[in-house]
Amino acid sequence: TIFVDKLDPQSGTSLEIGSSGDTITIPSGATITNSGTATGFGQNNTPYFHARNGSDQDIGYTGVTTKINLNTEILDSDNAFDTSNYRFTPQTAGKYFIYGQIYFETNSSANNYNNLVTNGTIIQKNGSSIAHNYIFRGSQQFAARRRNLGTSIIVDMNGSTDYIELYGYANDNVGGSTIAAADTGGSCFLGGYFLAT
């Protein structure tokens, strides 16, 4: 046991405690107070990604879910997002926070006074819905022609074969066209990041 009030490097400004492979133990009840800059502690939230569709996409109106063509990467830390299959396959197993949003725009013929329209944003894992958000516009609600719908979830992924995709849903009782609009601000997107093992 060495009793000291302060440790300073013999030369320079770097001080090393222990060697590679050593375990430094802070006993129960002790407190570490940091008044400087801490680096190398905790973990990085990688892999992370954020992708959006590069142009408007017709998703119809017949109540069929349609995968959103997320062909534009904004972030992709580990090259885990596939812009040809529009899916995220993480390289690290663990829990992930996943979020998605679609900007729906219904044409004027599907926006008449008595029309009924349902839109939905769906996050799928391995082809099955794990999170969704639906909105229904009944008759008398003439102005609701455009809407943003987002959803999010924390999900376990195995890091090798699990994958995440974004789907849109439109159901219109009269007929018309609903698009997932890219919008100049990137309003259709899917993203996520690693939380913990």
Side-chain angles (χ1 to χ4, degrees):
T1 302
I2 301 175
F3 295 97
V4 295
D5 292 321
K6 183 179 179 183
L7 292 175
D8 280 323
Q10 182 180 8
S11 62
T13 57
S14 296
L15 180 66
E16 180 177 330
I17 300 175
S19 300
S20 177
D22 291 348
T23 299
I24 310 299
T25 301
I26 306 299
S28 175
T31 300
I32 298 178
T33 301
N34 173 41
S35 299
T37 301
T39 60
F41 291 91
Q43 63 184 23
N44 294 323
N45 294 109
T46 57
Y48 58 79
F49 78 101
H50 183 91
R52 65 178 179 86
N53 60 342
S55 59
D56 293 355
Q57 177 184 353
D58 189 349
I59 61 174
Y61 62 92
T62 58
V64 177
T65 57
T66 302
K67 182 159 65 170
I68 304 302
N69 300 335
L70 303 166
N71 53 17
T72 303
E73 285 184 349
I74 306 301
L75 301 169
D76 190 5
S77 66
D78 290 45
N79 295 317
F81 188 82
D82 184 346
T83 54
S84 59
N85 289 315
Y86 319 122
R87 65 174 55 168
F88 170 66
T89 304
Q91 311 302 304
T92 302
K95 295 175 178 62
Y96 286 78
F97 178 75
I98 302 294
Y99 59 88
Q101 177 180 285
I102 299 176
Y103 173 63
F104 293 94
E105 184 171 329
T106 305
N107 70 359
S108 57
S109 65
N111 192 40
N112 62 60
Y113 189 70
N114 294 311
N115 204 3
L116 306 176
V117 176
T118 301
N119 291 135
T121 294
I122 304 135
I123 294 174
Q124 291 193 5
K125 174 186 173 184
N126 302 337
S128 298
S129 173
I130 57 171
H132 60 260
N133 186 13
Y134 289 90
I135 190 170
F136 173 74
R137 190 206 81 195
S139 59
Q140 315 298 321
Q141 295 172 291
F142 182 79
R145 184 175 167 221
R146 301 178 179 90
R147 65 208 66 168
N148 283 319
L149 282 182
T151 189
S152 59
I153 191 171
I154 294 175
V155 59
D156 271 309
M157 303 191 74
N158 63 20
S160 56
T161 59
D162 287 342
Y163 61 90
I164 296 291
E165 297 169 316
L166 181 67
Y167 280 76
Y169 174 91
N171 194 359
D172 167 14
N173 74 324
V174 173
S177 178
T178 299
I179 62 173
D183 196 46
T184 56
S187 293
C188 285
F189 54 77
L190 178 69
Y193 52 86
F194 176 80
L195 289 175
T197 56

